[in-house]
Amino acid sequence: MILSSRIRATDVPPIPAARAWAARYDGRAGPALDLTQAVPGYPPPPELLARLGEAAGSATSAGYGPIAGDMALREALAADISAFYRAPVPAGSVAITAGCNLAFAMAMQVLAAEGEAVLLPTPWYFNHHMALTMQGVRTIPVPTRPEDGFIPDPARIAALLVEHKPRAVVLVTPNNPTGAIYPAAVIEQVAADCRRHGALLVLDETYRDFLPAGRVPPHALFDDPDWGHVLLHLYSFSKAYCVPGHRVGAVVAGPAVMAELEKALDTMQICPPRPPQAALTWAIPALTEWRAGNRALMAERAAFFRDAVSQLPGWRLDAIGTYFAFLRLPEAAPDAMRAAEILAAEQGLMTLPGPFFGPGQDRHLRLAFANAAEPVLAQVPARLGAFS
């Protein structure tokens, strides 16, 4: 068969590939531990589950909704964004999407044509790279370094803006896969350089609800009345409300982008899922304290994981933050792809090897520690230690 060259050039989905290694695991070290995917390790609160069920059984939810999402949810999210960033963001700047991955893919349809370039810091979120490859958009890596906390260098980005004339620069903060939180000064400098060179800053803040309280607001871009000319913001409800299976995300953009985005919205999703929109409209104001509890719980898990693995001889925790740890392999260990396979097949510990996150990551593993409670995380050092 003759299949799309773009699809054939796209990477294989990493998480199923990593989990396949564990099919050979014989249980010798205890139950298998899956730290591959950023999925909440606990359910939504009962009240949200009840509203999701009620909305799923509603005749209204069975019909099509507005292309950009139900206005009630757009208004609720706009109010939440305005409070979080301490700057007014109107509901008309918000579009609800069938998950944040689709939000990114549709945004790229608007911003970049085949053959044009987008800057993507490495290590990158693999689905971003996959989406760009599918669309024939050139991905220009922007290497980051462990010694800099995996924070992108604005000067390097500025130079690449001149060299490649990209349509957009993508930043993910808090970062997936490293967990790094980008300083406001870095975000704002990149935005200023994007404006200067005619590019858009695509800022994926999927994990913004888990920022330490002292890091809010994480930047002041929304303070600029003209923010829509330089910023496209992405958000996900999946982690904050523990509803990843309901696929609800959002794009926040200025009027010019929103006008063109509606074409992609109508073509690729028609409308976002109706039942979770109804439930989340209630949840945004009602679960404020519950979300704060989630943030505290994730901070506790991060601290526990940091203490647990920091004493392992030869291993180095190069980054840890919201949901993720980026762990450097011992010098004598094989490369990350082989190491991840051995850990899964022989120790039952499923991780994602660094090469899934772009070039130059052969000595790192990503562990999604947020998936597991402390008794499970306590088993990780022994599995890593047995391997090393």
Side-chain angles (χ1 to χ4, degrees):
M1 285 187 292
I2 301 175
L3 304 177
S4 164
S5 59
R6 293 181 188 172
I7 290 293
R8 286 187 281 112
T10 301
D11 297 331
V12 172
I15 291 172
R19 288 174 176 171
W21 294 324
R24 309 199 307 267
Y25 176 57
D26 61 10
R28 73 184 75 171
L33 309 179
D34 189 348
L35 302 185
T36 60
Q37 192 168 33
V39 58
Y42 44 89
E47 300 94 327
L48 179 53
L49 286 172
R51 288 174 181 270
L52 285 165
E54 180 182 352
S58 163
T60 300
S61 294
Y64 288 125
I67 292 172
D70 293 350
M71 183 51 73
L73 180 56
R74 295 169 68 190
E75 290 173 344
L77 181 56
D80 185 65
I81 291 170
S82 299
F84 188 87
Y85 294 93
R86 301 170 190 169
V89 174
S93 295
V94 176
I96 305 301
T97 63
C100 197
N101 270 14
L102 186 59
F104 178 83
M106 292 188 293
M108 289 303 107
Q109 289 280 353
V110 174
L111 300 184
E114 182 175 5
E116 292 181 324
V118 167
L119 301 189
L120 203 59
T122 57
W124 55 45
Y125 174 44
F126 48 76
N127 283 143
H128 285 171
H129 179 244
M130 292 167 72
L132 293 171
T133 304
M134 285 182 189
Q135 296 180 23
V137 176
R138 292 187 297 121
T139 302
I140 307 300
V142 184
T144 64
R145 308 188 307 165
E147 51 267 44
D148 298 328
F150 294 103
I151 304 298
D153 179 2
R156 173 171 278 186
I157 290 176
L160 292 172
L161 282 164
V162 173
E163 180 181 357
H164 294 281
K165 297 179 173 53
R167 302 299 301 133
V169 176
V170 179
L171 299 182
V172 182
T173 178
N175 186 256
N176 177 3
T178 66
I181 299 170
Y182 297 172
V186 169
I187 298 170
E188 291 161 13
Q189 183 60 56
V190 173
D193 290 333
C194 283
R195 186 189 293 272
R196 187 174 302 112
H197 294 285
L200 210 67
L201 172 59
V202 177
L203 192 59
D204 185 333
E205 297 186 89
T206 289
Y207 298 94
R208 57 96 159 164
D209 293 281
F210 300 94
L211 282 165
R215 302 296 290 267
V216 176
H219 56 79
L221 296 183
F222 286 115
D223 287 347
D224 180 358
D226 203 27
W227 63 264
H229 283 83
V230 71
L231 175 64
L232 187 147
H233 163 89
L234 300 176
Y235 178 69
S236 172
F237 293 89
S238 294
K239 310 306 187 297
Y241 298 91
C242 299
V243 290
H246 286 281
R247 310 309 304 136
V248 189
V251 175
V252 183
V257 173
M258 289 295 290
E260 299 304 320
L261 180 64
E262 188 163 308
K263 301 173 187 176
L265 295 171
D266 188 42
T267 302
M268 300 178 76
Q269 71 175 20
I270 298 181
C271 69
R274 302 296 306 284
Q277 290 188 77
L280 289 166
T281 299
W282 166 83
I284 288 175
L287 297 183
T288 301
E289 291 186 10
W290 186 83
R291 283 192 286 163
N294 281 352
R295 183 176 65 242
L297 176 61
M298 289 301 105
E300 290 170 4
R301 289 187 179 179
F304 183 89
F305 189 85
R306 180 188 295 108
D307 292 343
V309 303
S310 61
Q311 306 304 316
L312 278 171
W315 293 84
R316 192 171 81 196
L317 191 60
D318 273 346
I320 186 169
T322 299
Y323 261 74
F324 305 111
F326 215 51
L327 195 61
R328 178 179 286 274
L329 287 153
E331 289 187 8
D335 65 40
M337 293 296 290
R338 180 62 180 147
E341 180 180 2
I342 293 171
L343 281 169
E346 298 182 6
Q347 295 297 320
L349 176 60
M350 285 168 271
T351 67
L352 290 185
F356 286 160
F357 301 97
Q361 313 303 317
D362 291 333
R363 303 306 301 169
H364 286 92
L365 303 175
R366 189 196 79 173
L367 288 81
F369 63 80
N371 300 356
E374 291 182 4
V376 174
L377 295 178
Q379 302 175 49
V380 172
R383 309 281 180 104
L384 294 173
F387 165 76
S388 60

